[in-house]
């Protein structure tokens, strides 16, 4: 989990400019930097001539204009969303209004958000023309985007594989700058770990996350994420061995030096770990106080 001090300079990540990463992939950065979005949401444009736009970002006229400016003379055929947090999918509707493109991707999800951050609350306006199921694909000239269900960060999270370049667009499931917040009740740590394990069985050459740099050694990176979560679980169990614990107290002990603005998000991930441990019969809860099951 990063801090505002980790934010790059605007020269390194110019907002609104289309940056070509490969022959099939361009990136446009939305102007929504912050402690949970890093430099902002990265919208990806896939293909040439007839293209797909992945994660159109917030409903920000300047960002929608930047996406349109990145594809002069081209047709946006598909608008694809990895999940429906408000820094990812609200731009789909205004972009469709301008282009007539089909909105495809993750399933809609309407849920009262108990998470810690306003930018991550769920987008209630998201209305896909078609849900892209696990293994289903959309395509254009020289490119294919194949859905890969990766629940955990949200229950409807979808990664998108680009087999022509052995690339995977990972949304918020794997980010290039920070660990992913897993916030109950929709965020599920067991599902998140299973989805990471799913990625370990793939041979992708590069990940393109919605926040942060491309991940050029995916297997090593995912192995590190899984190890980090196991370490957090171990920390929780060691704290509980010393007696029952409340989540805020545990966060203070587990996240030394963390920006206090990120404490609520850290607390959600700690809670997700505790729920997973409870479901496995390792811990129990009594009036928001947690203890080992045999304590």
């Amino acid at each position: 989990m990063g801090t505002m001090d980790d934010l790059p300079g605007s020269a390194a990540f110019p907002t609104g400019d289309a940056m070509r990463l490969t022959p099939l992939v361009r990136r446009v950065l939305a102007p929504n930097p912050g402690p949970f979005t890093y430099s902002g949401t990265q919208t990806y444009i896939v293909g040439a001539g007839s293209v797909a736009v992945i994660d159109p970002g917030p409903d920000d006229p300047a960002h929608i204009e930047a996406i349109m400016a990145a594809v002069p003379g081209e047709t946006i055929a598909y608008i694809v969303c990895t999940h429906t947090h408000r820094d990812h999918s609200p731009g789909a509707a205004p972009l469709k209004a301008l282009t007539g493109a089909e909105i495809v991707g993750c399933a809609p999800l309407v849920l009262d958000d108990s998470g810690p951050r306003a930018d991550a609350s769920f987008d209630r306006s998201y209305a896909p023309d078609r849900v892209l199921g696990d293994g289903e694909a959309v395509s254009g000239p020289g490119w294919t985007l194949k859905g890969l269900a990766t629940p955990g960060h949200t229950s409807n999270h979808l990664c998108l594989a680009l087999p022509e370049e052995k690339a995977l667009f990972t949304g918020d499931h794997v980010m290039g700058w920070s660990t992913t917040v897993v916030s109950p009740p929709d965020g599920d740590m067991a599902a998140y770990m299973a989805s990471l394990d799913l990625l370990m069985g793939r041979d992708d050459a590069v990940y393109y996350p919605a926040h942060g740099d491309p991940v050029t050694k995916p297997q090593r990176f995912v192995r590190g994420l899984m190890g980090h979560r196991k370490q957090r679980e171990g920390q929780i169990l060691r704290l509980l061995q010393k007696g029952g614990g409340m989540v805020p107290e545990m966060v203070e002990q587990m996240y030394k030096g963390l920006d206090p603005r990120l404490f609520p998000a850290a607390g959600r991930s700690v809670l997700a770990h505790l729920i997973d441990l409870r479901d496995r019969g390792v811990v129990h809860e009594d009036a928001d106080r947690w203890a080992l099951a045999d304590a």
Side-chain angles (χ1 to χ4, degrees), residues 56-135:
D59 184 0
D60 183 307
H63 185 54
I64 301 302
E65 182 178 340
I67 294 171
M68 295 298 296
V71 290
E74 298 180 279
T75 298
I76 297 176
Y78 300 103
I79 302 164
V80 192
C81 297
T82 62
H83 65 296
T84 48
H85 277 157
R86 287 200 293 128
D87 56 327
H88 286 259
S89 61
L95 192 59
K96 176 181 178 176
L98 289 172
T99 65
E102 184 179 6
I103 299 174
V104 300
C106 66
L109 176 63
V110 176
L111 183 74
D112 289 333
D113 182 35
S114 57
R117 55 192 242 246
D119 69 314
S121 60
F122 289 96
D123 172 17
R124 295 173 179 271
S125 69
Y126 174 70
D129 297 296
R130 177 159 51 106
V131 172
L132 196 65
D134 185 59

Side-chain angles (χ1 to χ4, degrees), residues 5 10 42-43 51-52 57 73 87 90 127 132 150-151 184 193 202 214 255:
D5 293 335
S10 59
Q42 295 175 142
T43 295
V51 306
D87 56 327
L132 196 65
T150 48
M193 293 296 287
R202 296 176 53 85
Y255 292 86

Side-chain angles (χ1 to χ4, degrees), residues 88-247:
H88 286 259
S89 61
L95 192 59
K96 176 181 178 176
L98 289 172
T99 65
E102 184 179 6
I103 299 174
V104 300
C106 66
L109 176 63
V110 176
L111 183 74
D112 289 333
D113 182 35
S114 57
R117 55 192 242 246
D119 69 314
S121 60
F122 289 96
D123 172 17
R124 295 173 179 271
S125 69
Y126 174 70
D129 297 296
R130 177 159 51 106
V131 172
L132 196 65
D134 185 59
E136 295 180 346
V138 294
S139 61
W143 60 267
T144 309
L145 287 176
K146 187 175 181 180
L148 179 68
T150 48
H153 175 62
T154 60
S155 61
N156 65 345
H157 197 285
L158 190 72
C159 290
L160 298 153
L162 177 63
E164 289 83 358
E165 293 188 348
K166 294 186 70 174
L168 188 71
F169 298 91
T170 57
D172 280 2
H173 179 54
V174 174
M175 298 192 290
W177 77 289
S178 169
T179 53
T180 297
V181 174
V182 179
S183 180
D186 187 62
D188 185 297
M189 188 61 69
Y192 173 73
M193 293 296 287
S195 293
L196 287 179
D197 191 57
L198 176 67
L199 296 195
M200 286 295 294
R202 296 176 53 85
D203 64 348
D204 304 295
V206 62
Y207 292 166
Y208 295 119
H211 309 281
D213 292 335
V215 176
T216 56
K217 296 180 179 178
Q219 297 288 321
R220 179 188 300 180
F221 197 84
V222 172
R223 191 176 298 113
L225 290 176
M226 297 179 76
H228 173 77
R229 291 298 184 180
K230 290 296 184 183
Q231 289 175 347
R232 289 297 189 202
E233 182 180 290
Q235 282 182 288
I236 290 169
L237 293 175
R238 287 191 294 274
L239 288 172
L240 294 181
Q241 284 172 354
K242 300 176 183 178
M246 305 284 283
V247 168

